[in-house]
Amino acid sequence: MTENSTTPDVTARTSAEPTFRYTPALAQEIELRWQDRWAERGTFFAADPAGGLPDGDGNHADPSSSSFFVMDMFPYPSGAGLHVGHPLGYIATDVTARFRRMCGDNVLHALGFDAFGLPAEQYAVQTGQHPRVTTEANIANMQRQLRRLGLAHDPRRSFATTDSDYVRWTQWIFLQIFDSWYDADAVRPDGGTGRARPIAELEAELAAGTRALPDGRAWADLDAAERRAALNEQRLAYVSDSPVNWCPGLGTVLANEEVTSDGRSERGNFPVFQRNLRQWNMRITAYADRLTDDLDLIDWPEKVRSMQRNWIGRSHGARVTFAVEGGQEVEVFTTRPDTLFGATFMVVAPEHPLLDEVPAAWPDGTRSAWTGGHASPVEAVASYRAESAAKTAVERQADAGRKTGVFTGHLAINPVNGVLLPVFTADYVLMGYGTGAIMAVPGGDERDYAFAQAFEVPVIYTVDAPEGTPDGARTGDGAIINSANDTITLDGLSVPEAKAAMTAWLVERGLGEGTTTYRLRDWLFSRQRYWGEPFPVVYGDDDQPIALPESMLPVDLPEVPDYAPRTYAADDAASSPEPPLGRNDEWVTVTLDLGDGPRAYRRDTNTMPNWAGSCWYYLRYLDPTNADAMVSAELERYWLGPEHNATAGAAGGVDLYVGGVEHAVLHLLYARFWHKVLFDLGHVTGAEPFHTLFNQGYIQAYAYTDERGAYVDASTVTEEAGADGEVRYVADGVEVHREYGKMGKSLKNVVTPDEMYEAYGADTFRVYEMAMGPLDLSRPWNTRDVVGSQRFLQRLWRNVVDETTGEVTVSEDAPGEETLRALHRAIADVRTEMEGMRPNTAIAKLITLNNHLTTLDRVPRVAAEAIVLMVAPLAPHVAEELWERLGHERSLAHEPFPTADEAYLVEETVTCVVQVQGKVRARLEVAPTITDADLEALALADPAVVRFLDGREVRKAVVRAPKLVNLVV
């Protein structure tokens, strides 16, 4: 039987089996019955404090109660359904939510569906079936699979991003962003500086003359079209002609985050090209500092926070102006102004305007390695520019290690010493990042050093290093050397001191200024697809976007004859987007009265990216039926606001957000940006959307390939012993190769939850997934190991129910001392492990307690009820059934989680003999579990031992915890 097999030998009922044994068949009957009861009773309805939604009994929550909002990352309803790797996070949040509910929190736990996106659209293209039909069928299947798992979601709060009501509020949020601008000087509610303000306030200030346009024009001198254009240029959502990532193979543009490091589309692996196109953008760069700084306000894994910091890429340094002989000045940004004396060449992006004119001939001193084999700078630069134009920004960065480039013929003047520096162009320098030019210091930067070696450029070191240091860039700190002129010397200073001194020198002479730059670019927000949210704007005669009034929302998708964006040959870089929405003329051209009489307008034929719906779904869980607001202010404060419970913190947000680390930049960064705009505009009270983030690991599985490298069905593979004693893997009589990795349909190693429900029951499946290891680590799937979790639940069942008669067997007698100690130790340990989201170790503690109870003739009711309550978050169906059989009428979902009696946590003591030079000098009463180190420390601190040693040094300590310590002096 293979590791992925789902045909257990231990679960089939035989004629000899007791009638009431906990088998998969009985488990299924119990599970389906309790799932129906929970739904009928509204057991997991989350109660709002007022208005909104009550609990299952029709009661609202006490407004002062402690709320706890736990959330899974938005699932996409795939047509393939779930495999056993998908529910890992869902079970983990369910266990946590059930535990917190039993600890007295008012828990909100819901699940919706991120239903726009490319897979449904591609299926529609292939079949001609409307993507809504496919999406709704996939949602229904996923809901069935998740319901069977027994997840305690509030079903009233579920929705899909494709629902018309939800689209309405997504478009409404877009309009809030469109109707806003960023005032860097405005004070925020949290006391910080810089926030979004309504664009109407900017217009009023411009009209009153209290604020000037960036280009210095007078507002009074502009006509209506010019004023609209001036405002549009400052909006947080704006249309611009800018370089974009164009993917002909997909027929759409992509955000930088959707392009892989080798310049191909993340979805489909098609080549991506740089094109200048008119597209929607969001001014996320205005929030770069806040997105960086506020990471300190939230409880996220440091890995994810580092990924966001690196993506935003904030750098402090200086802008330095270099004069160029016979050309325009070039400005560079450097984080190391202290290394200016070590600059030996410069590099500009191929798009830099300095290259619009280059010398006709190579200057004296030009090396052959610099020319790329061209006869003149004009030929060299033109050729290199053409080569670079075919690459994306991401691809150019990935290619930096190849060290391509050519000398431009230009010579720049180093402002600190007057030395002439050759100016190269290389495509790893990007025009959109910094200034599009860098000063190269090969003595202090590894990339510059490699370039200098390849192009035979000298190296000057500006940081001292010990004698014998090998050649190469010196990237660490050290005393500054070789850095002095007639007016400044940095020699001997530390790097921070030298940075400050050089920046001040540059400012004093008008050669530079201290500044901050960012890697983050504005968010490209247009997609040339059908299955997405239409933009709630129209265009008039001047081609400027005009927001639709709220009364015209939602703008629903029209019917189109063809769902596919026009795609092209994957390498057709000269092609242009042609969105599917453009094929419905009646929808595109529309007559509307927007306040100045009926006029003809043109709709935008692009749609929003699928990230739009997932940027704010957590807010709609709070108030899913509100037709008047995105979310009511009272509910937002109760569930999400600052300090809404003891751990929420000043930034507020979802109390626990669980999902994969693959969303570290895309979804999480975009959602934080939208939330901060809504915060600035007063629609939410907290500065962050997600307070605590937890990244679960993945479930992996073995896959098998034949001699051709083709995958074979893992369920057909068996293990055999080879002649050499090694294990062989065989499918249909042919040996196959085993590999380890992810679980997936293409690898033919999928095990579905449906198979596990049938073979073992949902509770066993839940316990197994939680017992496999720490939640944040990936773990291997092995179906044969599931039987261990099944046996645990079977023993639990037998400790309460007679397998032959079905009668409850618990005793009403008080537990003995040993059982009380075992019980309360387990209660204390399980509570600690559950609070720390360590269900695997909680299960281990429960198994230990359960095994102890198995040794008793009859289990005392006190112990039976306590272990059933502790098992409930993990295996809720069997726990509910046992709780009812123990005589309780109401669900245990809201019963208090057991609390340990401290009196039973005091461990028994053991007498430890302490010897010095072989003679007994003291006796200590210690815990039997004391460590050697702790026991030695206690012995050395004992007053009798201290007196006997009288200051003499202990040469050796022989420790045999818990009974002996022998000190040799």
Side-chain angles (χ1 to χ4, degrees):
M1 181 167 51
T2 179
E3 290 91 341
N4 296 331
S5 170
T6 58
T7 309
D9 299 330
V10 297
T11 57
R13 182 183 292 277
T14 68
S15 58
E17 264 186 356
T19 304
F20 294 95
R21 171 161 293 175
Y22 184 74
T23 62
L26 179 58
Q28 176 169 291
E29 186 272 321
I30 290 170
E31 289 161 4
L32 293 175
R33 174 158 42 85
W34 276 103
Q35 287 159 17
D36 288 341
R37 285 193 191 179
W38 292 333
E40 291 164 4
R41 299 173 180 177
T43 302
F44 304 112
F45 286 3
D48 290 330
L53 300 171
D55 66 15
D57 295 325
N59 301 317
H60 285 92
D62 180 346
S64 64
S65 61
S66 176
S67 67
F68 189 82
F69 186 4
V70 58
M71 197 171 82
D72 306 274
M73 285 193 181
F74 227 8
Y76 178 80
S78 165
L82 300 176
H83 60 63
V84 293
H86 292 124
L88 179 65
Y90 304 143
I91 299 172
T93 54
D94 189 63
V95 169
T96 301
R98 289 174 178 272
F99 171 70
R100 295 299 295 249
R101 191 178 288 111
M102 295 176 75
C103 290
D105 289 328
N106 184 22
V107 175
L108 190 158
H109 192 200
L111 192 74
F113 299 92
D114 190 11
F116 278 124
L118 196 57
E121 182 174 88
Q122 289 178 328
Y123 188 77
V125 171
Q126 296 165 7
T127 64
Q129 186 178 58
H130 197 288
R132 187 175 299 279
V133 175
T134 307
T135 300
E136 290 176 353
N138 293 345
I139 288 174
N141 182 52
M142 190 170 178
Q143 286 176 321
R144 176 193 61 78
Q145 289 183 302
L146 293 176
R147 185 183 194 272
R148 186 64 184 82
L149 194 55
L151 301 179
H153 296 144
D154 184 342
R156 303 169 301 172
R157 300 175 186 266
S158 186
F159 51 79
T161 53
T162 54
D163 295 344
S164 187
D165 286 345
Y166 190 86
V167 169
R168 171 195 174 191
W169 291 108
T170 302
Q171 292 171 338
W172 180 86
I173 296 173
F174 173 85
L175 291 179
Q176 303 307 300
I177 300 172
F178 175 74
D179 283 330
S180 302
W181 64 292
Y182 198 80
D183 184 349
D185 300 318
V187 178
R188 297 193 299 273
D190 61 5
T193 302
R195 66 179 177 89
R197 294 175 58 195
I199 200 78
E201 294 180 7
L202 172 61
E203 185 175 13
E205 291 179 10
L206 290 169
T210 57
R211 185 178 293 273
L213 286 167
D215 58 12
R217 290 181 297 167
W219 185 255
D221 295 339
L222 306 185
D223 62 27
E226 290 172 327
R227 290 179 179 180
R228 187 157 59 247
L231 291 175
N232 286 345
E233 287 174 2
Q234 298 197 53
R235 295 179 187 272
L236 287 179
Y238 63 95
V239 177
S240 72
D241 289 299
S242 56
V244 297
N245 300 310
W246 165 237
C247 181
L250 290 176
T252 188
V253 298
L254 302 172
N256 284 346
E257 296 87 345
E258 297 171 306
V259 181
T260 64
S261 60
D262 58 352
R264 303 180 76 85
S265 62
E266 192 174 53
R267 185 178 291 276
N269 196 38
F270 292 105
V272 178
F273 304 91
Q274 288 282 292
R275 287 286 308 279
N276 272 331
L277 295 173
R278 186 169 171 80
Q279 302 287 305
W280 279 101
N281 292 270
M282 289 210 167
R283 209 178 301 275
I284 192 173
T285 50
Y287 286 81
D289 281 327
R290 291 167 64 183
L291 290 168
T292 301
D293 295 339
D294 288 358
L295 289 168
D296 294 333
L297 302 177
I298 50 183
D299 181 15
W300 285 18
E302 186 53 39
K303 175 182 179 181
V304 177
R305 293 199 286 188
S306 294
M307 291 170 73
Q308 291 221 351
R309 289 191 186 101
N310 292 337
W311 189 262
I312 297 165
R314 181 170 64 186
S315 298
H316 300 291
R319 288 181 183 268
V320 185
T321 302
F322 287 75
V324 177
E325 286 192 338
Q328 59 182 310
E329 291 181 338
V330 174
E331 188 176 61
V332 306
F333 170 79
T334 176
T335 59
R336 293 292 303 272
D338 58 294
T339 63
L340 258 168
F341 286 93
T344 57
F345 62 101
M346 293 182 66
V347 185
V348 298
E351 301 86 0
H352 199 285
L354 179 69
L355 305 190
D356 292 342
E357 291 187 25
V358 296
W362 297 115
D364 293 340
T366 299
R367 297 175 179 269
S368 59
W370 299 0
T371 66
H374 295 282
S376 71
V378 175
E379 293 178 16
V381 169
S383 174
Y384 194 79
R385 277 182 143 181
E387 179 184 334
S388 300
K391 299 180 182 179
T392 67
V394 178
E395 192 174 10
R396 284 164 59 170
Q397 291 286 286
D399 283 350
R402 295 195 300 117
K403 302 300 174 293
T404 65
V406 292
F407 178 38
T408 67
H410 283 300
L411 297 171
I413 302 170
N414 191 327
V416 299
N417 54 19
V419 173
L420 295 178
L421 309 178
V423 180
F424 290 82
T425 182
D427 59 14
Y428 70 84
V429 178
L430 305 178
M431 198 61 214
Y433 292 80
T435 64
I438 66 168
M439 66 176 211
V441 183
D445 182 276
E446 292 177 353
R447 184 177 60 181
D448 293 347
Y449 183 86
F451 195 96
Q453 296 299 297
F455 287 87
E456 301 174 10
V457 181
V459 177
I460 297 174
Y461 291 104
T462 59
V463 175
D464 200 5
E467 217 175 301
T469 299
D471 292 341
R474 299 175 184 174
T475 57
D477 290 339
I480 301 298
I481 58 174
N482 300 328
S483 299
N485 60 26
D486 293 341
T487 56
I488 185 173
T489 177
L490 306 180
D491 293 346
L493 298 179
S494 66
V495 169
E497 292 170 336
K499 284 183 179 180
M502 179 53 75
T503 301
W505 185 89
L506 291 166
V507 171
E508 182 182 341
R509 283 158 179 75
L511 298 171
E513 60 180 358
T515 190
T516 302
T517 63
Y518 306 87
R519 180 178 181 269
L520 183 68
R521 301 295 94 191
D522 278 346
W523 177 12
L524 179 67
F525 202 69
S526 295
R527 296 295 183 274
Q528 289 69 50
R529 296 187 184 130
Y530 172 76
W531 194 229
E533 299 92 341
F535 284 95
V537 299
V538 291
Y539 298 87
D541 295 337
D542 60 0
D543 205 30
Q544 292 288 330
I546 303 168
L548 292 175
E550 290 182 28
S551 61
M552 293 187 179
L553 302 184
V555 178
D556 289 316
L557 286 167
E559 294 297 324
V560 294
D562 182 5
Y563 302 117
R566 182 181 177 187
T567 57
Y568 302 85
D571 59 353
D572 187 358
S575 55
S576 295
E578 185 182 297
L581 291 184
R583 299 171 191 149
N584 187 321
D585 293 335
E586 292 183 2
W587 183 84
V588 174
T589 303
V590 61
T591 299
L592 302 172
D593 186 349
L594 300 181
D596 51 1
R599 293 190 179 184
Y601 296 95
R602 175 177 53 84
R603 295 191 190 273
D604 198 312
T605 56
N606 293 308
T607 53
M608 299 183 198
N610 64 302
W611 308 108
S614 62
C615 272
W616 73 281
Y617 69 106
Y618 57 98
L619 292 169
R620 198 60 178 171
Y621 284 150
L622 311 184
D623 204 3
T625 59
N626 194 332
D628 301 318
M630 169 188 67
V631 60
S632 86
E634 182 180 11
L635 296 182
E636 188 276 330
R637 281 193 303 272
Y638 176 76
W639 292 110
L640 278 182
E643 315 293 352
H644 65 265
N645 61 31
T647 59
V654 175
D655 295 291
L656 177 64
Y657 194 23
V658 175
V661 73
E662 68 271 16
H663 298 293
V665 172
L666 290 164
H667 159 61
L668 290 172
L669 192 66
Y670 295 156
R672 293 181 65 217
F673 164 58
W674 273 38
H675 190 90
K676 289 181 182 299
V677 176
L678 294 172
F679 172 72
D680 289 352
L681 299 176
H683 299 300
V684 296
T685 56
E688 286 286 334
F690 315 119
H691 179 260
T692 298
L693 175 70
F694 187 94
N695 295 131
Q696 89 272 13
Y698 297 95
I699 288 181
Q700 299 172 310
Y702 289 111
Y704 302 85
T705 56
D706 59 20
E707 70 279 0
R708 301 165 300 159
Y711 287 100
V712 300
D713 189 341
S715 65
T716 67
V717 177
T718 57
E719 296 178 8
E720 297 180 0
D724 55 1
E726 294 292 324
V727 174
R728 297 170 63 243
Y729 303 98
V730 178
D732 297 326
V734 178
E735 185 171 1
V736 293
H737 170 71
R738 186 174 77 166
E739 61 183 50
Y740 182 61
K742 67 179 182 179
M743 185 177 285
K745 188 176 181 181
S746 63
L747 276 64
K748 296 187 178 180
N749 63 350
V750 164
V751 180
T752 70
D754 296 319
E755 295 172 78
M756 299 307 298
Y757 303 151
E758 182 177 355
Y760 293 97
D763 277 342
T764 294
F765 175 45
R766 288 171 61 111
V767 171
Y768 174 62
E769 290 225 339
M770 292 297 95
M772 292 172 76
L775 282 176
D776 58 343
L777 299 181
S778 295
R779 70 285 307 276
W781 176 268
N782 190 340
T783 301
R784 290 179 300 185
D785 291 343
V786 181
V787 69
S789 297
Q790 182 184 47
R791 286 170 180 158
F792 163 56
L793 295 182
Q794 287 176 328
R795 291 190 185 104
L796 174 68
W797 179 266
R798 285 197 298 270
N799 279 333
V800 178
V801 177
D802 185 292
E803 289 186 330
T804 303
T805 67
E807 295 179 356
V808 173
T809 60
V810 299
S811 164
E812 301 299 329
D813 297 336
E817 181 76 12
E818 183 183 1
T819 296
L820 283 171
R821 290 189 178 280
L823 173 63
H824 287 279
R825 170 50 55 197
I827 291 172
D829 289 346
V830 170
R831 180 181 284 270
T832 297
E833 299 310 303
M834 295 288 275
E835 287 173 346
M837 282 191 71
R838 295 182 293 272
N840 59 313
T841 48
I843 291 168
K845 305 291 185 183
L846 288 168
I847 289 173
T848 299
L849 173 62
N850 198 50
N851 289 343
H852 169 79
L853 298 179
T854 304
T855 66
L856 306 178
D857 290 336
R858 293 177 69 190
V859 177
R861 172 177 289 275
V862 170
E865 292 191 346
I867 193 171
V868 166
L869 289 172
M870 287 190 284
V871 165
L874 298 152
H877 309 89
V878 68
E880 288 275 23
E881 182 72 12
L882 292 174
W883 188 250
E884 184 177 72
R885 287 173 180 254
L886 285 166
H888 302 279
E889 294 182 0
R890 288 183 61 84
S891 165
L892 54 61
H894 296 273
E895 287 291 322
F897 198 83
T899 302
D901 186 336
E902 296 288 336
Y904 294 104
L905 301 182
V906 177
E907 297 182 86
E908 297 177 358
T909 60
V910 175
T911 300
C912 173
V913 173
V914 181
Q915 297 177 335
V916 181
Q917 298 295 91
K919 294 186 177 181
V920 177
R921 299 299 178 185
R923 286 181 171 82
L924 306 174
E925 294 300 315
V926 299
T929 57
I930 193 168
T931 65
D932 285 357
D934 288 343
L935 187 57
E936 180 180 346
L938 280 177
L940 291 171
D942 184 83
V945 174
V946 172
R947 282 196 303 273
F948 186 82
L949 289 176
D950 193 25
R952 287 180 292 173
E953 181 182 355
V954 175
R955 183 167 57 85
K956 184 178 180 182
V958 178
V959 184
R960 299 288 184 267
K963 294 185 176 181
L964 174 67
V965 177
N966 187 11
L967 303 175
V968 180
V969 297

